[in-house]
Amino acid sequence: MDACSGASIDSHDVNKAKSESSDGDDKLDMKDCKESLLNCEEQINAAEIESDEEYSDAKDVCSDEELDMEEESIADSHKDLSDDQLEILKDEAITLKSKGNDCFKNAEYKEAVNFYTQALNTCPLKYQNDRSILYANRAAARISLDKKEEAVLDCNKAIELNPNYLKALIRRAQLHKKMDNLERALEDYQKIMELDRNNAEARAACATLPGINEKNEN
């Protein structure tokens, strides 16, 4: 099974900004420090889509919900674009996803979530498989942040776009189990068994979860 991946603000740019703001402390006066801080904040703003509207404070991290665009808004913004232009946007989304993957590998999960969200805001709706992967990856990053409910919603979207997406089904089943939504977990594990009868986790769950449900009912 492939490892999960995530996305967010480019760690290289952030480290560079921190270096520029901290280098030569002995030489910087208060005015220089203030200008350096503003430069860092501008880099953070530039990394977010529609950051002027989304950020109430450049130093604060936006919530994921603030960054998400409605699908209707995405469709409306792309309606007059040619196929070639849509393809360019998809490539931009893939680049953002790759940055997110790097952040996830570096355990920078908040940044990963933000990059995946930017990619979803960029990727045209017609590329359903790419968007499904983005939702599944963002779910993995949110799980690492212990945001289970948000992760379930991302898994729901990933599976809606690709009903046979095994990784997203496994991820959602695990979440339901952790959240004691045992009936839903069992449903997902049964679907996993339909797709992969050799999946050891699903086989074990299908054998044990019905008994757990009966015990809870009693």
Side-chain angles (χ1 to χ4, degrees):
M1 190 181 301
D2 295 336
C4 342
S5 51
S8 174
I9 297 175
D10 192 332
S11 58
H12 173 75
D13 291 341
V14 173
N15 290 336
K16 180 180 178 182
K18 289 180 178 178
S19 175
E20 291 174 351
S21 64
S22 61
D23 184 36
D25 289 338
D26 293 338
K27 297 180 180 180
L28 288 175
D29 58 21
M30 291 301 293
K31 180 178 178 181
D32 292 332
C33 288
K34 183 176 180 180
E35 291 177 353
S36 181
L37 178 59
L38 290 173
N39 288 336
C40 290
E41 292 176 346
E42 289 173 359
Q43 290 184 37
I44 293 173
N45 284 339
E48 304 295 346
I49 290 178
E50 299 182 348
S51 58
D52 290 343
E53 296 178 3
E54 304 297 349
Y55 272 89
S56 60
D57 187 329
K59 296 186 288 298
D60 292 336
V61 177
C62 288
S63 69
D64 307 329
E65 291 75 18
E66 288 178 321
L67 288 170
D68 266 323
M69 287 178 63
E70 296 288 341
E71 290 187 356
E72 183 178 347
S73 298
I74 296 173
D76 186 62
S77 64
H78 294 168
K79 65 181 180 180
D80 295 326
L81 300 182
S82 67
D83 288 342
D84 287 343
Q85 290 172 318
L86 293 175
E87 186 73 22
I88 290 172
L89 286 177
K90 187 194 79 167
D91 291 341
E92 290 178 3
I94 290 174
T95 298
L96 289 166
K97 182 183 75 172
S98 297
K99 291 180 179 180
N101 294 347
D102 291 338
C103 289
F104 189 92
K105 292 173 184 176
N106 293 327
E108 298 169 345
Y109 302 120
K110 288 183 179 180
E111 291 84 350
V113 167
N114 288 334
F115 266 127
Y116 280 129
T117 303
Q118 290 181 64
L120 284 165
N121 290 347
T122 303
C123 187
L125 301 183
K126 65 180 288 188
Y127 300 107
Q128 293 190 0
N129 187 61
D130 294 280
R131 292 183 62 82
S132 180
I133 293 171
L134 286 168
Y135 277 116
N137 284 359
R138 191 169 71 173
R142 284 175 161 171
I143 289 170
S144 297
L145 293 169
D146 199 30
K147 294 187 176 182
K148 297 183 182 66
E149 293 182 358
E150 292 91 336
V152 167
L153 293 176
D154 277 343
C155 288
N156 290 345
K157 287 297 297 183
I159 295 166
E160 177 186 327
L161 293 169
N162 182 1
N164 295 328
Y165 194 173
L166 188 61
K167 183 183 292 185
L169 281 164
I170 292 172
R171 196 161 288 156
R172 189 173 70 177
Q174 293 169 342
L175 283 164
H176 281 319
K177 189 175 179 181
K178 289 179 181 178
M179 298 167 70
D180 289 330
N181 299 327
L182 301 183
E183 291 184 4
R184 293 181 180 178
L186 180 59
E187 290 175 1
D188 280 341
Y189 280 122
Q190 288 172 338
K191 176 65 176 179
I192 292 165
M193 285 293 292
E194 294 176 10
L195 298 173
D196 179 12
R197 296 198 62 82
N198 294 321
N199 187 285
E201 179 182 344
R203 289 172 67 89
C206 288
T208 58
L209 286 178
I212 294 174
N213 284 332
E214 290 174 7
K215 182 179 179 181
N216 287 341
E217 289 174 2
N218 292 334

